[in-house]
Amino acid sequence: MHVPDGFFNAAVSISAGAVAAAGVAVCLRGARRELDDRTAPMAGLVAAFIFAVQMLNFPVAAGTSGHLLGGTLAAILVGPYTAVLCVAVVLLVQGFFFADGGLTALGINITLMGIVAIVVGWAAFRLITRAVRSRGAVVAASFVAALISVPAAALAFTLLFWIGGTAPIEVGTVAAAMGGVHVLIGIGEGLITAVTVSTVLAIRPDLVYGARGLATPLVLRGPGGDTEVTPEAPAPIAPRRLGWFLPAGIVVAALLAGIVSFYASSSPDGLERVATDKGFSGQATDHALGEQPLADYGDAGGIPVGVAGLIGVGVTLGVGGGLFFSVRRRTRGRDEVTV
């Protein structure tokens, strides 16, 4: 759902840019409470993973595809403030290196995918996990929250386009079309998010921000069978260094971007399909960096998409990691356990 240049007038583009800048500024301060020496590289990995998975468009209807937004996933793994920064880094790399998402629409894209989607998704996730506190609830809440976040961002786009789009639309018709197709995309988003969160919970539950403070069930074995008991006050888990998890995560992101991306759907995504069907796709203008070799993920320069994907993962990891290390709070080495 990357908005191109030309869809919005100057007033809305500038206003959304101001909202995005203010949101990022707030999140830079908030992320300091979420990031430390251990979680800063995790946040960089999450940003690189989102970049990689966003390359993997999946079919959702005849002639239409969708891709991960990733905001809710990032919020659950590294916290909501850091999640906004993760998505902003991904959008910056995509816009400036791959001509994906307009430069004049950068503020709009950050507002939609990096603020609206995360606020809605994180609120839904917290609502569910506060009512039911278990690891199973975390996974279920991940699916529901991620699903909801996608049509929420799509409807926010419709509202902005109605206010300051460069073509007249029937707002009700476009809202129904955007909402409908992005519910289908949201199901894919929910599945990807739930599978990823479930996997990290199984391997390294201490790295899931949204699962902090949850009790781990104890299994009492006796002659009458096993009984599962959840302690009311679980002992805190000692922080552990990322260890092998970081290189393993980088390998996964590299495989997704470098190999699986060759099999991604080439059909237009939900926004592109609705724009074509409703007659405003022609408002898009050429990207200012559309002629550089990496534009359109290497298509402009004849670079294989997998190679472009690997470059993107590396750049995102470097930019994100540098940002997150710069805003982290420093922790003492003796408070961590090496595993």
Short mmCIF file of all heavy atoms in Angstrom, two decimals, residues 17-35 79-85 88 110 114-115 118-119 323 327:
data_model
loop_
_atom_site.label_atom_id
_atom_site.label_comp_id
_atom_site.label_asym_id
_atom_site.label_seq_id
_atom_site.Cartn_x
_atom_site.Cartn_y
_atom_site.Cartn_z
N GLY A 17 3.19 15.02 6.19
CA GLY A 17 4.61 15.02 6.50
C GLY A 17 4.88 15.57 7.89
O GLY A 17 5.73 15.06 8.62
N ALA A 18 4.14 16.62 8.27
CA ALA A 18 4.29 17.19 9.61
C ALA A 18 3.84 16.21 10.68
O ALA A 18 4.49 16.06 11.73
CB ALA A 18 3.50 18.49 9.71
N VAL A 19 2.73 15.51 10.41
CA VAL A 19 2.24 14.50 11.36
C VAL A 19 3.27 13.38 11.50
O VAL A 19 3.59 12.93 12.62
CB VAL A 19 0.89 13.93 10.90
CG1 VAL A 19 0.50 12.71 11.74
CG2 VAL A 19 -0.19 14.99 10.99
N ALA A 20 3.81 12.93 10.37
CA ALA A 20 4.81 11.86 10.40
C ALA A 20 6.06 12.30 11.16
O ALA A 20 6.60 11.54 11.97
CB ALA A 20 5.17 11.44 8.98
N ALA A 21 6.52 13.52 10.90
CA ALA A 21 7.72 14.02 11.58
C ALA A 21 7.50 14.12 13.08
O ALA A 21 8.36 13.73 13.88
CB ALA A 21 8.11 15.39 11.01
N ALA A 22 6.33 14.62 13.47
CA ALA A 22 6.01 14.72 14.90
C ALA A 22 5.92 13.33 15.53
O ALA A 22 6.41 13.09 16.64
CB ALA A 22 4.70 15.48 15.09
N GLY A 23 5.29 12.40 14.81
CA GLY A 23 5.18 11.04 15.32
C GLY A 23 6.52 10.38 15.49
O GLY A 23 6.79 9.73 16.51
N VAL A 24 7.40 10.54 14.52
CA VAL A 24 8.74 9.96 14.62
C VAL A 24 9.51 10.59 15.77
O VAL A 24 10.23 9.90 16.51
CB VAL A 24 9.50 10.13 13.29
CG1 VAL A 24 10.98 9.80 13.46
CG2 VAL A 24 8.88 9.24 12.21
N ALA A 25 9.36 11.91 15.96
CA ALA A 25 10.05 12.59 17.06
C ALA A 25 9.60 12.04 18.41
O ALA A 25 10.42 11.78 19.31
CB ALA A 25 9.81 14.10 16.98
N VAL A 26 8.28 11.85 18.55
CA VAL A 26 7.75 11.27 19.80
C VAL A 26 8.30 9.86 20.00
O VAL A 26 8.68 9.47 21.11
CB VAL A 26 6.22 11.27 19.77
CG1 VAL A 26 5.65 10.45 20.94
CG2 VAL A 26 5.68 12.70 19.83
N CYS A 27 8.33 9.10 18.93
CA CYS A 27 8.77 7.71 19.02
C CYS A 27 10.27 7.59 19.29
O CYS A 27 10.71 6.61 19.90
CB CYS A 27 8.38 6.95 17.76
SG CYS A 27 6.60 6.71 17.61
N LEU A 28 11.05 8.56 18.83
CA LEU A 28 12.47 8.54 19.16
C LEU A 28 12.68 8.64 20.68
O LEU A 28 13.58 8.00 21.24
CB LEU A 28 13.19 9.69 18.45
CG LEU A 28 13.47 9.50 16.96
CD1 LEU A 28 13.94 10.81 16.34
CD2 LEU A 28 14.52 8.41 16.75
N ARG A 29 11.84 9.44 21.33
CA ARG A 29 11.92 9.55 22.79
C ARG A 29 11.36 8.30 23.45
O ARG A 29 11.94 7.76 24.40
CB ARG A 29 11.17 10.79 23.28
CG ARG A 29 11.81 12.10 22.88
CD ARG A 29 10.99 13.28 23.38
NE ARG A 29 10.85 13.28 24.83
CZ ARG A 29 11.72 13.80 25.67
NH1 ARG A 29 12.81 14.40 25.19
NH2 ARG A 29 11.52 13.75 26.97
N GLY A 30 10.22 7.83 22.95
CA GLY A 30 9.60 6.64 23.54
C GLY A 30 10.42 5.39 23.36
O GLY A 30 10.45 4.51 24.23
N ALA A 31 11.12 5.28 22.23
CA ALA A 31 11.90 4.08 21.96
C ALA A 31 13.05 3.91 22.93
O ALA A 31 13.52 2.79 23.15
CB ALA A 31 12.44 4.13 20.52
N ARG A 32 13.49 4.98 23.53
CA ARG A 32 14.58 4.88 24.50
C ARG A 32 14.18 4.01 25.70
O ARG A 32 15.02 3.37 26.31
CB ARG A 32 14.98 6.28 24.98
CG ARG A 32 16.20 6.28 25.89
CD ARG A 32 16.68 7.70 26.17
NE ARG A 32 17.79 7.70 27.11
CZ ARG A 32 19.05 7.43 26.80
NH1 ARG A 32 19.36 7.15 25.56
NH2 ARG A 32 19.98 7.45 27.73
N ARG A 33 12.87 3.98 25.99
CA ARG A 33 12.39 3.13 27.09
C ARG A 33 12.27 1.67 26.66
O ARG A 33 12.16 0.78 27.51
CB ARG A 33 11.04 3.64 27.59
CG ARG A 33 11.08 5.05 28.13
CD ARG A 33 9.81 5.37 28.90
NE ARG A 33 8.63 5.37 28.05
CZ ARG A 33 8.18 6.43 27.39
NH1 ARG A 33 8.84 7.58 27.47
NH2 ARG A 33 7.10 6.35 26.64
N GLU A 34 12.27 1.42 25.35
CA GLU A 34 12.09 0.06 24.84
C GLU A 34 13.40 -0.58 24.40
O GLU A 34 13.52 -1.80 24.36
CB GLU A 34 11.12 0.07 23.65
CG GLU A 34 9.73 0.56 24.01
CD GLU A 34 8.85 0.82 22.78
OE1 GLU A 34 9.39 0.82 21.66
OE2 GLU A 34 7.64 1.03 22.96
N LEU A 35 14.40 0.24 24.08
CA LEU A 35 15.64 -0.26 23.50
C LEU A 35 16.78 -0.22 24.51
O LEU A 35 16.91 0.73 25.28
CB LEU A 35 16.02 0.57 22.28
CG LEU A 35 15.08 0.50 21.08
CD1 LEU A 35 15.48 1.51 20.02
CD2 LEU A 35 15.06 -0.91 20.49
N GLY A 79 8.09 -3.36 20.62
CA GLY A 79 7.42 -2.24 21.26
C GLY A 79 6.86 -1.25 20.25
O GLY A 79 7.40 -1.11 19.14
N PRO A 80 5.78 -0.55 20.60
CA PRO A 80 5.10 0.32 19.63
C PRO A 80 5.91 1.52 19.17
O PRO A 80 5.85 1.90 18.00
CB PRO A 80 3.83 0.74 20.37
CG PRO A 80 4.16 0.57 21.82
CD PRO A 80 5.07 -0.60 21.89
N TYR A 81 6.66 2.15 20.07
CA TYR A 81 7.46 3.31 19.66
C TYR A 81 8.56 2.89 18.68
O TYR A 81 8.76 3.50 17.64
CB TYR A 81 8.09 3.98 20.87
CG TYR A 81 7.09 4.65 21.79
CD1 TYR A 81 6.80 4.11 23.05
CD2 TYR A 81 6.45 5.83 21.42
CE1 TYR A 81 5.89 4.72 23.90
CE2 TYR A 81 5.54 6.46 22.27
CZ TYR A 81 5.26 5.90 23.50
OH TYR A 81 4.35 6.50 24.34
N THR A 82 9.25 1.82 19.03
CA THR A 82 10.30 1.32 18.16
C THR A 82 9.72 0.83 16.84
O THR A 82 10.36 0.95 15.78
CB THR A 82 11.08 0.19 18.84
OG1 THR A 82 11.56 0.66 20.11
CG2 THR A 82 12.25 -0.27 18.01
N ALA A 83 8.51 0.29 16.88
CA ALA A 83 7.87 -0.21 15.66
C ALA A 83 7.67 0.90 14.64
O ALA A 83 7.88 0.70 13.44
CB ALA A 83 6.53 -0.85 16.01
N VAL A 84 7.25 2.08 15.10
CA VAL A 84 7.08 3.20 14.18
C VAL A 84 8.41 3.53 13.51
O VAL A 84 8.47 3.79 12.29
CB VAL A 84 6.52 4.43 14.92
CG1 VAL A 84 6.50 5.65 14.00
CG2 VAL A 84 5.11 4.14 15.42
N LEU A 85 9.48 3.50 14.28
CA LEU A 85 10.80 3.78 13.71
C LEU A 85 11.22 2.68 12.73
O LEU A 85 11.82 2.97 11.69
CB LEU A 85 11.84 3.90 14.83
CG LEU A 85 11.57 4.98 15.87
CD1 LEU A 85 12.70 5.00 16.91
CD2 LEU A 85 11.42 6.35 15.23
N ALA A 88 9.33 3.34 9.54
CA ALA A 88 9.85 4.56 8.92
C ALA A 88 11.19 4.28 8.21
O ALA A 88 11.42 4.75 7.10
CB ALA A 88 10.03 5.67 9.96
N ILE A 110 4.31 7.02 5.91
CA ILE A 110 4.68 6.82 7.31
C ILE A 110 3.46 6.98 8.21
O ILE A 110 3.26 6.22 9.16
CB ILE A 110 5.80 7.79 7.72
CG1 ILE A 110 7.11 7.44 7.01
CG2 ILE A 110 6.02 7.76 9.24
CD1 ILE A 110 8.25 8.40 7.27
N GLY A 114 2.98 3.49 9.28
CA GLY A 114 3.83 3.54 10.46
C GLY A 114 3.17 4.10 11.70
O GLY A 114 3.70 3.93 12.80
N ILE A 115 2.04 4.80 11.55
CA ILE A 115 1.37 5.36 12.72
C ILE A 115 -0.03 4.79 12.87
O ILE A 115 -0.34 4.15 13.89
CB ILE A 115 1.34 6.91 12.66
CG1 ILE A 115 2.77 7.47 12.68
CG2 ILE A 115 0.52 7.47 13.81
CD1 ILE A 115 2.86 8.98 12.56
N ILE A 118 -0.06 0.94 13.30
CA ILE A 118 0.52 0.51 14.58
C ILE A 118 -0.35 0.91 15.76
O ILE A 118 -0.55 0.12 16.69
CB ILE A 118 1.95 1.06 14.72
CG1 ILE A 118 2.87 0.36 13.72
CG2 ILE A 118 2.48 0.89 16.14
CD1 ILE A 118 4.26 0.95 13.61
N VAL A 119 -0.89 2.12 15.74
CA VAL A 119 -1.78 2.54 16.84
C VAL A 119 -2.98 1.60 16.93
O VAL A 119 -3.34 1.12 18.01
CB VAL A 119 -2.23 3.99 16.64
CG1 VAL A 119 -3.37 4.34 17.59
CG2 VAL A 119 -1.06 4.96 16.86
N LEU A 323 20.47 3.55 13.86
CA LEU A 323 19.49 4.41 14.53
C LEU A 323 19.15 3.88 15.91
O LEU A 323 19.15 4.63 16.90
CB LEU A 323 18.23 4.51 13.67
CG LEU A 323 17.03 5.21 14.32
CD1 LEU A 323 17.33 6.69 14.56
CD2 LEU A 323 15.78 5.07 13.44
N VAL A 327 19.78 5.58 19.89
CA VAL A 327 18.74 6.06 20.81
C VAL A 327 18.54 5.13 22.00
O VAL A 327 17.76 5.44 22.90
CB VAL A 327 17.39 6.23 20.08
CG1 VAL A 327 17.51 7.21 18.93
CG2 VAL A 327 16.83 4.90 19.59
#
